[in-house]
Amino acid sequence: MAQQEDVFKKLVAHCKEYGFVFPSSEIYDGLAAVYDYGQNGVELKNNIKKYWWDSMVLLHENVVGLDAAIFMHPTTWKASGHVDAFNDPLIDNKDSKKRYRADVLIEDLLAKYDDKIEKEVEKAAKRFGESFDATLYRQTNTRVLEHQAKRDEIHSRFVKALNDSDLAELKQIIVDYDVVCPISGTKNWTDVRQFNLMFSTEMGSTADGSMKIYLRPETAQGIFVNYLNVQKTGRMKIPFGIAQIGKAFRNEIVARQFIFRMREFEQMEMQFFVRPGTEMEWFKKWKETRLKWHKALGLGDQKYRFHDHDKLAHYANAATDIEFEMPFGFKEVEGIHSRTNFDLSSHEKYSGKSIKYFDPELNESYTPYVIETSIGVDRTFLSIMAASYTEEQLENGESRVVLKLPAVLAPIKLAVLPLVKKDGLPEKAREIMNSLKFDFKCQYDEKDSIGKRYRRQDAIGTPFCVTVDHDSLTDNTVTIRYRDTMQQERVPVEKLHELIGQKVSMKQLFKKIVE
Ligand code: GAP
């Protein structure tokens, strides 16, 4: 675990050193849980967004896009339930003065019991060797059973407390199981209080009578309030979806783990409108499709898992998360929710406008049900960076840091490097770069030794380095070096476009999603 934390610290430092992520307004010492994306970060982020966007609107004829404003009429948030119910239970430690989410403290406690169980099983597996039956051991070993019983007891109290919104019981669980503040090490806790996560501001001058408005905490409501506009103008037939990418804002209590939990972040959401009664079938379909989208990136299938929600949000009748194995454990990257007709019905009620769909096949009108897929751009970015960051010990005794990013998402697709800064090599390199730059993000670099230049490109995840040498001038060939294997190959210049094009095309990923 300590080793993983160490890797995470190195990753955060790497993100800054190589222009991926900077703390916001750093010259003023930064702003908690707000980050800026640098020259390489923004390219990676844009590629992630394109991969998601095209996987929605290119691969599905019945999914169209939208770009709604961040500011929305304040009644939107009353109707959506966010004014009344978008709260986190918070608790303070009186000694450290640190604030925590009570539910997160209890989830961490549950994870500790899971760890204890796994450690017992691992120890026994080592002791018994090949004949070891892990399932039987879990069912019979006294120590495992004790841990499991304790975990189940905490879990059932926790779920009940969440569902009953019983804040006193949340605190009681923390007290009963001796949860201590990680900073002060004490159990000196305040009561648990609810805290609304929406940021608000004023629109219009006070003299005119200004209006309190909110920065949207999710992009989804922009889709719901435009449902009719899109359905009518696009002549959309149910089932159909609306996809949107945009900023969302939450006044998170616990700001930690870098870009995992931010106060300003970006979501990629898709609301899929279906006939009532068919929502579970679509929920299952979208779960499968979304998992394929993640796995197609090739970061390792074992790094993903589903996690069903213990407590359903106020709008959902089924919900699951796609979790990714971050350096700090399995964490939610995407949520898939069956939101019933809660949002559309509520907007109907608050706006007084009918948002019904006339289904010609059934010859009846109804308020559509909704399956939502909601993924954070920043968390996806973090998962990809974490899985790609690699420290390698080379045979020659040197070491290198390499970002093994999926080639399709890499900020720079190829670097063009003249071996030396003379003899017409820079001119030849420029000529090659000019022929490729319309299709691929290229970088030209002539400074330092070729080895140093390779290392710089490894560190930002550039999948291909093209080196121009004296032979290139006579036979029009170059050396292409592959980032992950460091193997080199001599290829004719006219082959470069096809060779690189194939490797960085999103098409290969899309095929994996639809197959
Ligand atoms: N419209 C549904 C919705 O917003 P959510 O589970 O609250 O659901 C969806 O958020 C996704 O947005 C999460 O899976 C996560 O990737 C991202 N997300 C939520 N809060 C975030 C935060 N504070 N910082 C970064 N990403 C966040």
Side-chain angles (χ1 to χ4, degrees), residues 136-377:
L136 189 66
Y137 192 78
R138 282 175 202 277
Q139 287 163 354
T140 52
N141 178 268
T142 348
R143 239 193 320 253
V144 170
L145 290 175
E146 269 170 24
H147 292 320
Q148 190 62 48
K150 204 41 125 307
R151 190 206 184 276
D152 292 346
E153 180 187 299
I154 302 169
H155 186 249
S156 69
R157 280 181 67 179
F158 178 46
V159 173
K160 186 165 181 334
L162 287 179
N163 285 324
D164 297 348
S165 299
D166 187 345
L167 302 183
E169 171 67 355
L170 283 180
K171 174 168 181 188
Q172 202 53 50
I173 298 173
I174 290 170
V175 171
D176 289 351
Y177 294 95
D178 296 323
V179 175
V180 296
C181 165
I183 308 285
S184 66
T186 71
K187 294 181 265 180
N188 197 4
W189 297 109
T190 63
D191 286 342
V192 177
R193 313 187 287 295
Q194 290 289 25
F195 176 79
N196 193 287
L197 298 183
M198 281 198 295
F199 284 102
S200 64
T201 185
E202 303 282 320
M203 183 177 263
S205 74
T206 6
D208 297 345
S210 65
M211 175 161 67
K212 179 178 179 180
I213 56 165
Y214 297 97
L215 297 187
R216 65 182 179 196
E218 61 170 11
T219 63
Q221 296 305 323
I223 294 179
F224 289 123
V225 299
N226 276 294
Y227 159 79
L228 263 192
N229 285 336
V230 175
Q231 192 271 318
K232 287 210 164 13
T233 58
R235 294 182 295 117
M236 307 303 291
K237 291 205 168 41
I238 276 185
F240 76 92
I242 304 178
Q244 174 168 228
I245 299 179
K247 289 274 181 141
F249 305 83
R250 295 183 191 177
N251 199 1
E252 297 284 359
I253 304 163
V254 186
R256 59 174 182 188
Q257 286 159 336
F258 192 38
I259 54 173
F260 182 79
R261 197 174 299 288
M262 301 159 90
R263 296 201 164 107
E264 174 181 339
F265 57 100
E266 208 161 355
Q267 289 185 316
M268 306 188 280
E269 298 201 295
M270 195 276 304
Q271 312 293 320
F272 197 72
F273 300 93
V274 304
R275 213 178 253 176
T278 64
E279 70 272 17
M280 285 309 157
E281 184 191 316
W282 285 109
F283 179 65
K284 189 166 165 276
K285 265 205 181 112
W286 278 108
K287 265 176 78 172
E288 285 163 11
T289 307
R290 291 304 306 144
L291 191 62
K292 280 189 191 168
W293 182 91
H294 287 275
K295 288 187 173 173
L297 285 171
L299 303 176
D301 288 3
Q302 76 291 353
K303 287 187 178 286
Y304 299 93
R305 70 179 188 196
F306 284 118
H307 173 249
D308 294 334
H309 285 202
D310 282 335
K311 183 189 183 227
L312 292 174
H314 56 277
Y315 48 71
N317 69 357
T320 196
D321 295 335
I322 294 178
E323 295 187 336
F324 183 84
E325 192 177 12
M326 301 277 187
F328 40 87
F330 272 95
K331 296 284 167 194
E332 172 190 348
V333 173
E334 171 158 10
I336 300 159
H337 312 122
S338 172
R339 290 182 78 130
T340 67
N341 61 0
F342 172 85
D343 301 86
L344 289 184
S345 301
S346 192
H347 287 305
E348 255 187 324
K349 195 169 98 196
Y350 277 85
S351 68
K353 312 249 165 44
S354 166
I355 313 186
K356 297 267 184 297
Y357 173 78
F358 177 73
D359 192 325
E361 281 174 36
L362 297 181
N363 200 24
E364 69 179 60
S365 294
Y366 53 77
T367 310
Y369 271 46
V370 172
I371 303 302
E372 164 183 75
T373 71
S374 174
I375 172 170
V377 180

Side-chain angles (χ1 to χ4, degrees), residues 116-138 141 144:
K116 282 183 189 176
I117 294 170
E118 287 319 307
K119 281 207 182 102
E120 291 291 343
V121 177
E122 272 169 32
K123 256 192 335 209
K126 271 195 200 134
R127 216 171 39 236
F128 294 116
E130 276 191 3
S131 60
F132 182 63
D133 181 342
T135 318
L136 189 66
Y137 192 78
R138 282 175 202 277
N141 178 268
V144 170

Side-chain angles (χ1 to χ4, degrees), residues 419-431:
L419 192 60
V420 288
K421 251 195 284 183
K422 54 183 186 184
D423 305 336
L425 299 192
E427 290 75 10
K428 179 72 182 167
R430 284 272 177 212
E431 184 192 306

